[in-house]
Every structure is written in C-alpha cells, then in structure tokens.
C-alpha cells in the first residue's frame, strides 16, 4: 500500500493524556506530541517535568479519588498508557496493573471525551511473564507475529489489554496495542532500562580496568535480535492513533533492523574504550556484579562530578539479565504496520550510541 495515500486524522484540537510521562516510552511520546502541536498532559505518581510544554499531573492510579481530583479539569481525546508497576508475583502484577487501567478509564468515562486509547505492552505477550520468561517448554517460534495466540499462562499484559477492550466496548473509542522489544531511551530511575544499565556497567569497567563481560546466553550472543528506540515507538503510537486504517489493531514495533549481540557488544566496548569478553560457555549475571559496585560508582560520581550517585537510579540489571539470558534468539516481525504505511526506521547502533552521548552530556556517565 502506498504510504502517501494513507488517510490520517487532523490533530487540531486533540488533547493527549500520557500516563507514565516520566518513563522511557512516555517522555519520548510526550515530547513528540508537543512538537506536533498537541495539548499534552502527563500523569505520573511523582512527576518530574523537564519537558517544555507538558502539563504535569500528580495522581495515584490505584486511588480513584486521587484520579478524580487530579483529572477534574482534564478531558482528553487520546489516552496513551505507557506505564506499569512491578510486583512480587504475576498474579499480583495482574491485579495491580489491570486496576490501574480500569480506574483511569472509569474515572474518565463520564466525560465522554475519549476518542482513542493506546496501550504499550511488550514481547512478554509472546515470551511469557517474568516468572516464566521464555523458559524451555514455552518457547515461541520466531519471528514473533501479532497473530500468535495468547500463552496459557497468567500474564498482566493480557489483563491490561482486556481492560482496554472492555472500556472501548462500553465507551465507543478506538484503540491500539503496541508491543516493543527492549526499549532504548533516556529516562533516569526506570525499571527496565538496558541502555543506561550497559552504559553504567561499561563506565565501571573503564574505571576498574576490567573487560566488558557478556552476561547472557549463547542463544542471545549468537542469535538474531532487535530492539526498539523509544523515539520509533513514539512515532508508531502517534501514527496509529491518527490513522483510521490502523485503529483497533495490535502492532509489534522495533527499529527495523536486526543484529547479533556478538557484533554489537564489541562496538559498545569500543565506544567506551574498553576491552570485552564474549560468551565463553556460561551465563554471568550482570546483577550479581553490579550489586557489589555501589561504592565504586559513588567514587566515580564524586570524582567526575556526575549528577546521580545512586547506582540503582541508573541501572536495572535484573531486567537486562532477563533479556540477555533468554534461551532463544528473539526477532520480531513488524510487517503488519509497514503494510499499513508506517515506515520509520533507525539504526540500533545509533540508538545505543546516541543514548550514551545523551547520558554523557547530562553528566550521568563519564
């Protein structure tokens, strides 16, 4: 289909509510919406507004009274839900994360202002929840495709989707689900941030004169993979929300290229000017090593006058370990949105290197 012939809706008069506006996905989305002339509200529990033009709202998604008060004067045409809350079990993930969406859409329902809702989930839709993450016996066939059926496992992504579907049926709005792979982008203090985690790890290796050691599996080291730049995700979210032919669909989203970690890992090491070690027969979890490095990071932050001395605010090694230790290669099919006209692309190497440059410029790494 010719992308030039795709009908898009006017954004004039649109009011966006970005839920999770301080996160990797939400902050990049809010920035792009503002650049395109939308009126944008950003809802977070503890908003830190460093985005020019963003109207910040503080509210607790698990407290309907808090939401009702905070959203009293806000009537969004578009809701972009980009956040989640991690809990100890998948059952608790389901209870809490479904309630967050249900509460928000219930509070907004009487306003009758919503035209469209977008929900960001991810590849755990296909790989399973954290406590059964891509384990042997449930491995999907790659490349991962949107039409694959749900796994017969508890999964909070499914519960989130169902809340959107139920509210759409009740209130008559359209919807999209977006399933990125690992997000690469700049957001401090966020739970799933591979890019900043690897940057911090490489900085520590440089300080200590140690090699940049691959933490993951042979399958990830040797297999084909892809990731998602937060800016590409934002582009797809806006495109889908404003393209009628794309409404009421779930879309995978990645940068559009593929790579092998055995190719990219040495390039990251080279960017930081350090040696590296690849896979040598065993998984070497990064979390184990970084848990012992707070003291060295405190010293680096003091010596280099960095803006953040708390290692846990910059690195989420547990999630990076989950991604890089999977027992299969992970490649995502994104032809569904391409056929409908979404053709944005970026280089994964550039995604990482641009992020590292941003982190260095913000005095978050040395």
């Amino acid at each position: 289909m010719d992308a030039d012939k795709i009908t898009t809706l006017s954004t004039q008069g649109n009011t966006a509510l970005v839920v999770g506006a301080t996160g990797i996905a939400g902050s990049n989305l809010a920035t792009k919406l503002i650049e395109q002339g939308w009126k944008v509200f950003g809802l977070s529990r503890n908003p830190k507004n460093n985005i020019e033009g963003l109207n910040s709202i503080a509210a607790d998604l698990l407290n309907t009274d808090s939401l009702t008060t905070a959203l009293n004067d806000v009537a969004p045409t578009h809701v972009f839900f980009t956040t989640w809350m991690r809990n100890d079990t998948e059952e608790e993930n389901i209870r809490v994360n479904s309630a967050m969406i249900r509460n928000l859409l219930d509070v907004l329902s009487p306003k009758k202002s919503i035209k469209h809702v977008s929900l960001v989930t991810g590849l755990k839709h296909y790989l399973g929840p954290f406590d059964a993450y891509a384990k042997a016996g449930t491995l999907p066939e790659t490349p991962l495709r949107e039409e694959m059926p749900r796994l017969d496992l508890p999964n909070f992504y499914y519960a989130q989707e169902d809340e959107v579907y139920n509210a759409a049926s009740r209130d008559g709005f359209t919807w999209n689900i977006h399933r990125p792979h690992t997000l690469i982008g700049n957001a401090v203090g966020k739970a799933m941030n591979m890019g900043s985690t690897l940057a911090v790890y490489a900085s520590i290796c440089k300080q200590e004169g140690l090699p940049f050691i691959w933490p993951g599996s042979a399958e990830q080291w040797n297999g084909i993979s892809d990731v998602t730049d937060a800016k590409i995700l934002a582009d797809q979210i806006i495109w889908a929300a404003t393209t009628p032919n794309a409404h009421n669909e779930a879309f995978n989203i990645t940068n559009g290229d593929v790579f092998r970690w055995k190719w990219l890992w040495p390039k990251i090491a080279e960017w930081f000017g350090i040696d590296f070690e690849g896979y040598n027969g065993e998984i070497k979890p990064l979390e184990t090593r970084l848990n012992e490095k707070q003291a060295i990071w405190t010293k680096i932050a003091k010596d280099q006058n960095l803006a953040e001395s708390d290692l846990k605010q910059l690195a989420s090694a547990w999630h990076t370990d989950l991604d890089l230790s999977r027992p299969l290669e992970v490649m995502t099919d994104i032809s569904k949105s391409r056929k409908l006209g979404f053709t944005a692309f970026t280089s994964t190497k550039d995604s990482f290197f641009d992020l590292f440059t941003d982190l260095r410029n913000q005095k978050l790494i040395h």
Side-chain angles (χ1 to χ4, degrees):
M1 186 178 294
D2 187 343
D4 293 335
K5 296 180 181 179
I6 299 298
T7 301
T8 57
L9 300 172
S10 171
T11 60
Q12 185 175 0
N14 283 349
T15 299
L17 177 63
V18 178
V19 185
T22 60
I24 301 175
S27 60
N28 281 275
L29 175 60
T31 298
K32 283 185 176 281
L33 288 166
I34 291 166
E35 289 172 352
Q36 295 181 20
W38 293 56
K39 183 175 184 179
V40 183
F41 292 88
L43 188 151
S44 302
R45 188 166 187 172
N46 299 299
K48 298 177 182 178
N49 187 0
N50 58 355
I51 300 174
E52 184 177 354
L54 179 66
N55 302 285
S56 293
I57 300 172
D60 181 355
L61 289 163
L62 294 175
N63 185 319
T64 54
D65 290 338
S66 168
L67 282 170
T68 300
T69 300
L71 296 171
N72 183 60
D73 297 322
V74 180
T77 57
H78 293 69
V79 174
F80 301 99
F81 204 97
T82 70
T83 192
W84 72 290
M85 186 179 296
R86 187 187 183 198
N87 297 274
D88 291 337
T89 66
E90 193 61 18
E91 285 71 20
E92 192 66 2
N93 279 335
I94 290 169
R95 184 187 70 80
V96 170
N97 288 287
S98 62
M100 288 161 56
I101 293 180
R102 183 171 61 254
N103 290 345
L104 177 71
L105 296 180
D106 282 354
V107 165
L108 291 174
S109 181
K111 298 176 184 287
K112 302 187 183 303
S113 64
I114 300 177
K115 298 177 182 178
H116 189 85
V117 171
S118 301
L119 170 65
V120 176
T121 61
L123 295 196
K124 287 188 295 300
H125 184 94
Y126 313 108
L127 299 173
F130 286 124
D131 56 9
Y133 198 33
K135 297 292 177 65
T138 60
L139 302 182
E141 183 179 86
T142 59
L144 303 172
R145 304 177 187 277
E146 292 94 340
E147 65 266 23
M148 287 179 169
R150 290 181 173 183
L151 301 174
D152 187 20
L153 292 168
N155 193 322
F156 80 86
Y157 283 174
Y158 305 161
Q160 287 183 308
E161 287 185 355
D162 288 344
E163 293 296 344
V164 172
Y165 301 153
N166 291 339
S169 178
R170 176 190 66 199
D171 296 336
F173 56 73
T174 56
W175 54 265
N176 284 114
I177 312 296
H178 300 270
R179 299 171 185 159
H181 194 174
T182 300
L183 275 179
I184 306 301
N186 192 350
V188 175
K190 298 304 151 187
M192 300 191 297
N193 199 331
M194 177 189 284
S196 65
T197 299
L198 294 182
V200 166
Y201 173 45
S203 298
I204 291 172
C205 290
K206 186 171 186 176
Q207 175 74 16
E208 296 189 304
L210 297 174
F212 190 53
I213 299 173
W214 170 253
S217 66
E219 292 84 354
Q220 282 289 298
W221 178 253
N222 294 307
I224 294 174
S225 192
D226 48 32
V227 296
T228 309
D229 192 293
K231 296 182 179 67
I232 286 288
L233 172 61
D235 286 337
Q236 192 197 58
I237 292 172
I238 297 170
W239 164 81
T242 58
T243 303
N245 286 348
H247 287 170
N248 302 331
E249 297 285 353
F251 293 115
N252 294 334
I253 176 62
T254 67
N255 287 347
D257 63 354
V258 295
F259 66 94
R260 299 182 197 275
W261 277 106
K262 66 180 181 181
W263 168 82
L264 182 59
W265 197 256
K267 294 187 179 301
I268 294 175
E270 182 181 5
W271 195 93
F272 284 94
I274 55 179
D275 295 329
F276 76 94
E277 289 183 9
Y279 180 77
N280 65 358
E282 62 177 329
I283 292 174
K284 299 179 179 179
L286 185 56
E287 186 173 21
T288 302
R289 272 169 282 158
L290 287 189
N291 280 346
E292 302 171 351
K293 299 299 183 180
Q294 179 58 62
I296 188 67
W297 185 256
T298 300
K299 183 179 187 306
I300 293 171
K302 182 179 179 181
D303 291 348
Q304 303 299 330
N305 194 30
L306 299 184
E308 181 55 69
S309 61
D310 185 353
L311 185 61
K312 291 182 180 179
Q313 287 297 306
L314 296 172
S316 49
W318 67 272
H319 182 260
T320 297
D321 282 340
L322 276 173
D323 272 10
L324 298 185
S325 65
R326 291 179 296 208
L328 78 166
E329 67 176 18
V330 177
M331 180 171 54
T332 315
D333 182 86
I334 58 171
S335 60
K336 182 178 179 181
S337 61
R338 281 179 166 170
K339 287 173 67 175
L340 291 173
F342 181 76
T343 57
F345 167 90
T346 193
S347 158
T348 289
K349 181 166 66 72
D350 290 347
S351 288
F352 277 99
F353 290 2
D354 289 349
L355 171 61
F356 299 157
T357 299
D358 287 346
L359 293 173
R360 184 167 284 174
N361 290 341
Q362 294 172 36
K363 298 289 287 182
L364 290 169
I365 63 170
H366 174 58

Short mmCIF file of all heavy atoms in Angstrom, two decimals, residues 223-271:
data_model
loop_
_atom_site.label_atom_id
_atom_site.label_comp_id
_atom_site.label_asym_id
_atom_site.label_seq_id
_atom_site.Cartn_x
_atom_site.Cartn_y
_atom_site.Cartn_z
N GLY A 223 22.49 -15.49 18.30
CA GLY A 223 21.26 -15.41 17.53
C GLY A 223 20.95 -14.01 17.05
O GLY A 223 21.60 -13.02 17.40
N ILE A 224 19.92 -13.92 16.23
CA ILE A 224 19.45 -12.63 15.71
C ILE A 224 18.56 -11.97 16.75
O ILE A 224 17.74 -12.63 17.40
CB ILE A 224 18.70 -12.83 14.39
CG1 ILE A 224 19.66 -13.33 13.31
CG2 ILE A 224 18.03 -11.53 13.94
CD1 ILE A 224 18.98 -13.67 12.00
N SER A 225 18.69 -10.66 16.90
CA SER A 225 17.87 -9.92 17.84
C SER A 225 17.47 -8.58 17.24
O SER A 225 17.90 -8.20 16.15
CB SER A 225 18.64 -9.70 19.15
OG SER A 225 17.77 -9.22 20.18
N ASP A 226 16.63 -7.87 17.97
CA ASP A 226 16.26 -6.50 17.61
C ASP A 226 15.87 -5.78 18.89
O ASP A 226 15.66 -6.40 19.93
CB ASP A 226 15.13 -6.45 16.57
CG ASP A 226 13.95 -7.35 16.91
OD1 ASP A 226 13.67 -7.56 18.11
OD2 ASP A 226 13.29 -7.87 16.00
N VAL A 227 15.81 -4.46 18.84
CA VAL A 227 15.37 -3.64 19.97
C VAL A 227 14.53 -2.50 19.42
O VAL A 227 14.38 -2.34 18.22
CB VAL A 227 16.56 -3.08 20.80
CG1 VAL A 227 17.37 -4.21 21.44
CG2 VAL A 227 17.45 -2.20 19.94
N THR A 228 14.00 -1.69 20.33
CA THR A 228 13.11 -0.60 19.93
C THR A 228 13.59 0.72 20.52
O THR A 228 13.63 0.86 21.75
CB THR A 228 11.67 -0.87 20.42
OG1 THR A 228 11.27 -2.17 20.00
CG2 THR A 228 10.71 0.18 19.85
N ASP A 229 13.94 1.66 19.68
CA ASP A 229 14.24 3.01 20.14
C ASP A 229 12.95 3.66 20.61
O ASP A 229 11.91 3.55 19.96
CB ASP A 229 14.86 3.81 18.99
CG ASP A 229 15.46 5.13 19.46
OD1 ASP A 229 14.69 6.01 19.88
OD2 ASP A 229 16.69 5.28 19.39
N ALA A 230 13.01 4.34 21.74
CA ALA A 230 11.80 4.97 22.29
C ALA A 230 11.19 5.99 21.34
O ALA A 230 9.98 6.21 21.34
CB ALA A 230 12.11 5.62 23.63
N LYS A 231 12.02 6.60 20.51
CA LYS A 231 11.50 7.58 19.55
C LYS A 231 10.72 6.90 18.42
O LYS A 231 9.71 7.43 17.95
CB LYS A 231 12.66 8.41 18.98
CG LYS A 231 13.39 9.27 19.99
CD LYS A 231 14.49 10.08 19.33
CE LYS A 231 15.21 10.96 20.34
NZ LYS A 231 15.97 10.17 21.34
N ILE A 232 11.18 5.71 18.00
CA ILE A 232 10.46 4.95 16.98
C ILE A 232 9.11 4.48 17.53
O ILE A 232 8.09 4.51 16.85
CB ILE A 232 11.30 3.76 16.51
CG1 ILE A 232 12.44 4.24 15.60
CG2 ILE A 232 10.44 2.73 15.78
CD1 ILE A 232 12.02 4.70 14.24
N LEU A 233 9.10 4.04 18.79
CA LEU A 233 7.84 3.66 19.42
C LEU A 233 6.89 4.84 19.44
O LEU A 233 5.70 4.70 19.10
CB LEU A 233 8.10 3.16 20.84
CG LEU A 233 6.86 2.91 21.70
CD1 LEU A 233 5.96 1.86 21.10
CD2 LEU A 233 7.26 2.53 23.13
N ALA A 234 7.37 6.01 19.82
CA ALA A 234 6.51 7.21 19.86
C ALA A 234 5.95 7.50 18.48
O ALA A 234 4.76 7.84 18.33
CB ALA A 234 7.30 8.39 20.39
N ASP A 235 6.79 7.39 17.45
CA ASP A 235 6.33 7.63 16.08
C ASP A 235 5.18 6.67 15.72
O ASP A 235 4.18 7.09 15.12
CB ASP A 235 7.48 7.44 15.09
CG ASP A 235 8.49 8.57 15.12
OD1 ASP A 235 8.14 9.68 15.55
OD2 ASP A 235 9.65 8.33 14.70
N GLN A 236 5.34 5.40 16.08
CA GLN A 236 4.29 4.44 15.72
C GLN A 236 3.01 4.69 16.49
O GLN A 236 1.90 4.58 15.94
CB GLN A 236 4.76 3.00 15.94
CG GLN A 236 3.80 1.99 15.31
CD GLN A 236 3.98 0.59 15.84
OE1 GLN A 236 3.85 0.34 17.04
NE2 GLN A 236 4.25 -0.35 14.96
N ILE A 237 3.13 5.04 17.76
CA ILE A 237 1.94 5.31 18.57
C ILE A 237 1.12 6.45 17.97
O ILE A 237 -0.10 6.37 17.83
CB ILE A 237 2.34 5.63 20.02
CG1 ILE A 237 2.92 4.40 20.71
CG2 ILE A 237 1.15 6.16 20.81
CD1 ILE A 237 3.53 4.68 22.07
N ILE A 238 1.80 7.53 17.61
CA ILE A 238 1.10 8.69 17.05
C ILE A 238 0.52 8.35 15.68
O ILE A 238 -0.62 8.71 15.37
CB ILE A 238 2.05 9.90 16.97
CG1 ILE A 238 2.51 10.30 18.37
CG2 ILE A 238 1.36 11.08 16.28
CD1 ILE A 238 3.62 11.34 18.38
N TRP A 239 1.30 7.66 14.87
CA TRP A 239 0.81 7.25 13.54
C TRP A 239 -0.45 6.41 13.67
O TRP A 239 -1.46 6.67 12.98
CB TRP A 239 1.91 6.46 12.82
CG TRP A 239 1.39 5.67 11.65
CD1 TRP A 239 1.13 6.13 10.39
CD2 TRP A 239 1.04 4.28 11.66
NE1 TRP A 239 0.63 5.12 9.61
CE2 TRP A 239 0.56 3.97 10.36
CE3 TRP A 239 1.07 3.27 12.62
CZ2 TRP A 239 0.13 2.69 10.02
CZ3 TRP A 239 0.64 2.00 12.28
CH2 TRP A 239 0.18 1.71 10.99
N ALA A 240 -0.43 5.41 14.54
CA ALA A 240 -1.58 4.52 14.66
C ALA A 240 -2.81 5.26 15.20
O ALA A 240 -3.93 5.03 14.75
CB ALA A 240 -1.23 3.35 15.57
N ALA A 241 -2.59 6.16 16.15
CA ALA A 241 -3.71 6.88 16.75
C ALA A 241 -4.38 7.83 15.76
O ALA A 241 -5.56 8.17 15.93
CB ALA A 241 -3.22 7.67 17.97
N THR A 242 -3.64 8.25 14.75
CA THR A 242 -4.17 9.23 13.79
C THR A 242 -4.41 8.64 12.40
O THR A 242 -4.66 9.38 11.45
CB THR A 242 -3.20 10.43 13.67
OG1 THR A 242 -1.91 9.96 13.27
CG2 THR A 242 -3.09 11.16 15.00
N THR A 243 -4.35 7.32 12.28
CA THR A 243 -4.56 6.63 11.00
C THR A 243 -5.73 5.67 11.16
O THR A 243 -5.59 4.60 11.76
CB THR A 243 -3.30 5.87 10.58
OG1 THR A 243 -2.20 6.77 10.52
CG2 THR A 243 -3.48 5.20 9.22
N PRO A 244 -6.91 6.01 10.65
CA PRO A 244 -8.09 5.16 10.86
C PRO A 244 -7.89 3.71 10.45
O PRO A 244 -8.40 2.80 11.12
CB PRO A 244 -9.16 5.85 10.01
CG PRO A 244 -8.77 7.29 10.02
CD PRO A 244 -7.27 7.28 9.97
N ASN A 245 -7.16 3.47 9.34
CA ASN A 245 -6.94 2.09 8.90
C ASN A 245 -6.14 1.27 9.90
O ASN A 245 -6.15 0.03 9.84
CB ASN A 245 -6.22 2.08 7.55
CG ASN A 245 -7.11 2.48 6.40
OD1 ASN A 245 -8.33 2.56 6.55
ND2 ASN A 245 -6.53 2.72 5.24
N ALA A 246 -5.46 1.96 10.81
CA ALA A 246 -4.63 1.26 11.79
C ALA A 246 -5.34 1.06 13.13
O ALA A 246 -4.80 0.41 14.02
CB ALA A 246 -3.33 2.04 12.01
N HIS A 247 -6.53 1.63 13.28
CA HIS A 247 -7.23 1.54 14.56
C HIS A 247 -7.65 0.12 14.89
O HIS A 247 -7.87 -0.71 14.00
CB HIS A 247 -8.46 2.45 14.55
CG HIS A 247 -8.13 3.90 14.63
ND1 HIS A 247 -9.07 4.89 14.43
CD2 HIS A 247 -6.95 4.55 14.87
CE1 HIS A 247 -8.50 6.08 14.55
NE2 HIS A 247 -7.21 5.89 14.82
N ASN A 248 -7.78 -0.16 16.18
CA ASN A 248 -8.25 -1.44 16.69
C ASN A 248 -7.36 -2.60 16.24
O ASN A 248 -7.84 -3.67 15.87
CB ASN A 248 -9.70 -1.69 16.27
CG ASN A 248 -10.64 -0.60 16.76
OD1 ASN A 248 -10.40 0.02 17.79
ND2 ASN A 248 -11.70 -0.36 16.01
N GLU A 249 -6.05 -2.34 16.32
CA GLU A 249 -5.06 -3.36 15.95
C GLU A 249 -3.92 -3.36 16.98
O GLU A 249 -3.62 -2.33 17.59
CB GLU A 249 -4.45 -3.07 14.57
CG GLU A 249 -5.44 -3.12 13.42
CD GLU A 249 -5.84 -4.54 13.03
OE1 GLU A 249 -5.25 -5.51 13.57
OE2 GLU A 249 -6.77 -4.68 12.20
N ALA A 250 -3.29 -4.51 17.12
CA ALA A 250 -2.06 -4.62 17.90
C ALA A 250 -0.88 -4.62 16.92
O ALA A 250 -0.94 -5.25 15.86
CB ALA A 250 -2.05 -5.90 18.73
N PHE A 251 0.20 -3.91 17.30
CA PHE A 251 1.36 -3.80 16.43
C PHE A 251 2.65 -4.08 17.19
O PHE A 251 2.89 -3.49 18.25
CB PHE A 251 1.46 -2.39 15.83
CG PHE A 251 0.37 -2.03 14.87
CD1 PHE A 251 -0.52 -1.01 15.18
CD2 PHE A 251 0.21 -2.70 13.67
CE1 PHE A 251 -1.53 -0.64 14.30
CE2 PHE A 251 -0.80 -2.35 12.78
CZ PHE A 251 -1.67 -1.33 13.09
N ASN A 252 3.47 -4.97 16.63
CA ASN A 252 4.84 -5.04 17.07
C ASN A 252 5.58 -3.80 16.59
O ASN A 252 5.19 -3.18 15.60
CB ASN A 252 5.54 -6.27 16.48
CG ASN A 252 4.97 -7.58 17.01
OD1 ASN A 252 4.44 -7.63 18.11
ND2 ASN A 252 5.11 -8.63 16.23
N ILE A 253 6.67 -3.45 17.28
CA ILE A 253 7.45 -2.30 16.84
C ILE A 253 8.91 -2.48 17.28
O ILE A 253 9.18 -2.74 18.46
CB ILE A 253 6.88 -0.96 17.38
CG1 ILE A 253 7.78 0.22 17.00
CG2 ILE A 253 6.62 -1.00 18.87
CD1 ILE A 253 7.94 0.44 15.51
N THR A 254 9.82 -2.40 16.31
CA THR A 254 11.26 -2.40 16.57
C THR A 254 11.89 -1.33 15.69
O THR A 254 11.20 -0.65 14.93
CB THR A 254 11.91 -3.76 16.26
OG1 THR A 254 11.85 -4.00 14.85
CG2 THR A 254 11.23 -4.89 17.01
N ASN A 255 13.22 -1.22 15.77
CA ASN A 255 13.92 -0.21 14.97
C ASN A 255 13.83 -0.48 13.48
O ASN A 255 14.03 0.42 12.67
CB ASN A 255 15.38 -0.14 15.38
CG ASN A 255 15.57 0.52 16.72
OD1 ASN A 255 14.65 1.14 17.26
ND2 ASN A 255 16.77 0.41 17.27
N GLY A 256 13.59 -1.73 13.10
CA GLY A 256 13.51 -2.08 11.69
C GLY A 256 14.74 -2.79 11.18
O GLY A 256 14.75 -3.26 10.04
N ASP A 257 15.80 -2.85 11.99
CA ASP A 257 16.97 -3.64 11.62
C ASP A 257 17.10 -4.83 12.58
O ASP A 257 16.36 -4.93 13.55
CB ASP A 257 18.24 -2.79 11.65
CG ASP A 257 18.58 -2.25 13.04
OD1 ASP A 257 17.78 -2.44 13.98
OD2 ASP A 257 19.65 -1.63 13.19
N VAL A 258 18.00 -5.74 12.26
CA VAL A 258 18.32 -6.85 13.15
C VAL A 258 19.83 -6.89 13.33
O VAL A 258 20.59 -6.34 12.53
CB VAL A 258 17.81 -8.20 12.60
CG1 VAL A 258 16.30 -8.22 12.55
CG2 VAL A 258 18.40 -8.50 11.23
N PHE A 259 20.27 -7.55 14.40
CA PHE A 259 21.69 -7.63 14.69
C PHE A 259 21.96 -8.86 15.54
O PHE A 259 21.04 -9.52 16.02
CB PHE A 259 22.16 -6.37 15.45
CG PHE A 259 21.56 -6.23 16.82
CD1 PHE A 259 22.23 -6.71 17.95
CD2 PHE A 259 20.31 -5.64 17.00
CE1 PHE A 259 21.67 -6.59 19.22
CE2 PHE A 259 19.74 -5.52 18.27
CZ PHE A 259 20.43 -6.01 19.38
N ARG A 260 23.22 -9.17 15.72
CA ARG A 260 23.65 -10.19 16.66
C ARG A 260 24.45 -9.50 17.76
O ARG A 260 25.27 -8.62 17.48
CB ARG A 260 24.49 -11.28 15.99
CG ARG A 260 23.75 -12.02 14.89
CD ARG A 260 24.64 -13.11 14.28
NE ARG A 260 24.11 -13.54 13.00
CZ ARG A 260 23.16 -14.47 12.83
NH1 ARG A 260 22.66 -15.08 13.90
NH2 ARG A 260 22.74 -14.80 11.62
N TRP A 261 24.22 -9.93 18.99
CA TRP A 261 24.94 -9.30 20.09
C TRP A 261 26.45 -9.50 19.96
O TRP A 261 27.23 -8.66 20.40
CB TRP A 261 24.44 -9.83 21.44
CG TRP A 261 23.21 -9.13 21.91
CD1 TRP A 261 21.92 -9.61 21.93
CD2 TRP A 261 23.14 -7.79 22.42
NE1 TRP A 261 21.06 -8.66 22.41
CE2 TRP A 261 21.78 -7.53 22.72
CE3 TRP A 261 24.07 -6.80 22.64
CZ2 TRP A 261 21.36 -6.32 23.25
CZ3 TRP A 261 23.66 -5.58 23.16
CH2 TRP A 261 22.31 -5.34 23.46
N LYS A 262 26.89 -10.59 19.36
CA LYS A 262 28.32 -10.80 19.20
C LYS A 262 28.93 -9.77 18.25
O LYS A 262 30.15 -9.58 18.24
CB LYS A 262 28.63 -12.22 18.73
CG LYS A 262 28.16 -12.57 17.33
CD LYS A 262 28.55 -14.02 17.03
CE LYS A 262 28.12 -14.44 15.63
NZ LYS A 262 28.48 -15.86 15.36
N TRP A 263 28.09 -9.09 17.47
CA TRP A 263 28.54 -7.97 16.63
C TRP A 263 28.46 -6.65 17.39
O TRP A 263 29.38 -5.83 17.33
CB TRP A 263 27.67 -7.90 15.37
CG TRP A 263 27.84 -6.65 14.56
CD1 TRP A 263 28.82 -6.38 13.64
CD2 TRP A 263 26.99 -5.48 14.60
NE1 TRP A 263 28.65 -5.12 13.10
CE2 TRP A 263 27.53 -4.56 13.68
CE3 TRP A 263 25.84 -5.13 15.32
CZ2 TRP A 263 26.96 -3.30 13.46
CZ3 TRP A 263 25.28 -3.90 15.10
CH2 TRP A 263 25.82 -2.99 14.18
N LEU A 264 27.36 -6.44 18.14
CA LEU A 264 27.14 -5.15 18.79
C LEU A 264 27.96 -4.99 20.06
O LEU A 264 28.43 -3.89 20.38
CB LEU A 264 25.64 -4.97 19.11
CG LEU A 264 25.23 -3.64 19.74
CD1 LEU A 264 25.61 -2.46 18.85
CD2 LEU A 264 23.73 -3.62 20.04
N TRP A 265 28.15 -6.06 20.83
CA TRP A 265 28.85 -5.98 22.11
C TRP A 265 30.25 -5.37 21.96
O TRP A 265 30.61 -4.45 22.72
CB TRP A 265 28.91 -7.36 22.75
CG TRP A 265 29.23 -7.36 24.22
CD1 TRP A 265 30.44 -7.70 24.79
CD2 TRP A 265 28.36 -7.02 25.30
NE1 TRP A 265 30.36 -7.60 26.16
CE2 TRP A 265 29.09 -7.18 26.50
CE3 TRP A 265 27.03 -6.60 25.37
CZ2 TRP A 265 28.55 -6.94 27.75
CZ3 TRP A 265 26.49 -6.35 26.61
CH2 TRP A 265 27.23 -6.52 27.79
N PRO A 266 31.06 -5.85 21.00
CA PRO A 266 32.39 -5.24 20.83
C PRO A 266 32.32 -3.76 20.44
O PRO A 266 33.20 -2.98 20.82
CB PRO A 266 33.03 -6.06 19.71
CG PRO A 266 32.28 -7.35 19.70
CD PRO A 266 30.88 -7.01 20.11
N LYS A 267 31.28 -3.37 19.70
CA LYS A 267 31.16 -1.97 19.29
C LYS A 267 30.83 -1.08 20.49
O LYS A 267 31.30 0.06 20.57
CB LYS A 267 30.10 -1.84 18.19
CG LYS A 267 30.52 -2.52 16.89
CD LYS A 267 29.55 -2.22 15.77
CE LYS A 267 30.02 -2.92 14.48
NZ LYS A 267 31.37 -2.50 14.05
N ILE A 268 30.01 -1.57 21.41
CA ILE A 268 29.73 -0.82 22.64
C ILE A 268 31.01 -0.68 23.46
O ILE A 268 31.33 0.41 23.96
CB ILE A 268 28.62 -1.50 23.45
CG1 ILE A 268 27.29 -1.45 22.69
CG2 ILE A 268 28.47 -0.83 24.83
CD1 ILE A 268 26.16 -2.20 23.37
N ALA A 269 31.77 -1.77 23.58
CA ALA A 269 33.03 -1.71 24.31
C ALA A 269 33.98 -0.70 23.67
O ALA A 269 34.64 0.09 24.36
CB ALA A 269 33.68 -3.10 24.34
N GLU A 270 34.03 -0.69 22.35
CA GLU A 270 34.91 0.25 21.64
C GLU A 270 34.49 1.69 21.90
O GLU A 270 35.34 2.58 22.05
CB GLU A 270 34.88 -0.06 20.14
CG GLU A 270 35.79 0.82 19.30
CD GLU A 270 35.71 0.51 17.82
OE1 GLU A 270 34.87 -0.34 17.42
OE2 GLU A 270 36.46 1.11 17.05
N TRP A 271 33.18 1.94 21.97
CA TRP A 271 32.69 3.30 22.21
C TRP A 271 33.22 3.82 23.55
O TRP A 271 33.56 4.99 23.68
CB TRP A 271 31.16 3.32 22.20
CG TRP A 271 30.57 4.69 22.09
CD1 TRP A 271 30.20 5.34 20.96
CD2 TRP A 271 30.26 5.59 23.19
NE1 TRP A 271 29.68 6.59 21.25
CE2 TRP A 271 29.71 6.77 22.61
CE3 TRP A 271 30.40 5.52 24.56
CZ2 TRP A 271 29.30 7.86 23.38
CZ3 TRP A 271 30.00 6.61 25.32
CH2 TRP A 271 29.45 7.75 24.74
#
